[in-house]
Amino acid sequence: MTALPEPTRNADSQEFWDAMQQEKLLLQECGDCGGLSFMPRHMCPVCWSPNRGWREASGEGTVHSFSIVRRASSPAFASRVPYVVVLIDLAEGPRMPSALIGDDALSVAIGDPVRMTFEARGDEKLAVFELAK
């Protein structure tokens, strides 16, 4: 079995991935306009300010959209088919792509409440979601 891909760290995301290893999800918060965003980047996507900080997210949200993958995109994912890729509206506002796991994942519907959990990817941890019903 091929190992699942691990996240790639860079200067803008280092603190994000460090927090992920402690099972915390961080969102970036603009020090100028207050906008929250996901995913880590150098400048605020709202006002383009480089004045960025971090804020811990609750890990709660709702399903905005989803797709059930029935054909693996690479051999690493073949043993997981079928699996669910979701777009989550986090309680704090930003939208985040992720995976939906759990025995009931295939019964997902738009608007379903979800909660964050974590999955090991080699030496890294990655935030995934499960239905909160």
Side-chain angles (χ1 to χ4, degrees), residues 102-113:
D103 294 337
D104 56 353
L106 294 175
S107 67
V108 64
I110 291 172
D112 280 349

Side-chain angles (χ1 to χ4, degrees), residues 4-130:
L4 293 172
E6 291 185 31
T8 302
R9 294 171 179 248
N10 63 31
D12 294 328
S13 68
Q14 184 67 42
E15 193 167 344
F16 172 84
W17 291 114
D18 288 348
M20 190 75 55
Q21 302 326 295
Q22 298 173 25
E23 298 191 354
K24 296 178 182 176
L25 174 64
L26 296 183
L27 300 174
Q28 279 188 309
E29 184 171 27
C30 180
D32 290 329
C33 76
L36 288 174
S37 61
F38 176 86
M39 49 188 289
R41 59 192 106 194
H42 177 69
M43 298 174 82
C44 174
V46 177
C47 72
W48 300 104
S49 170
N51 184 9
R52 312 287 280 146
W54 296 97
R55 181 167 151 200
E56 188 173 351
S58 67
E60 297 177 356
T62 57
V63 175
H64 176 80
S65 185
F66 69 92
S67 181
I68 298 175
V69 178
R70 300 187 187 280
R71 184 174 179 187
S73 58
S74 75
F77 291 95
S79 66
R80 294 181 163 224
V81 172
Y83 60 91
V84 182
V85 176
V86 288
L87 193 55
I88 302 297
D89 287 330
L90 296 171
E92 294 78 10
R95 196 167 278 159
M96 175 182 175
S98 189
L100 187 69
I101 63 168
D103 294 337
D104 56 353
L106 294 175
S107 67
V108 64
I110 291 172
D112 280 349
V114 293
R115 67 178 164 265
M116 185 178 57
T117 188
F118 291 85
E119 176 180 87
R121 290 279 180 101
D123 293 333
E124 300 279 353
K125 289 183 183 175
L126 191 65
V128 294
F129 289 83
E130 56 191 6

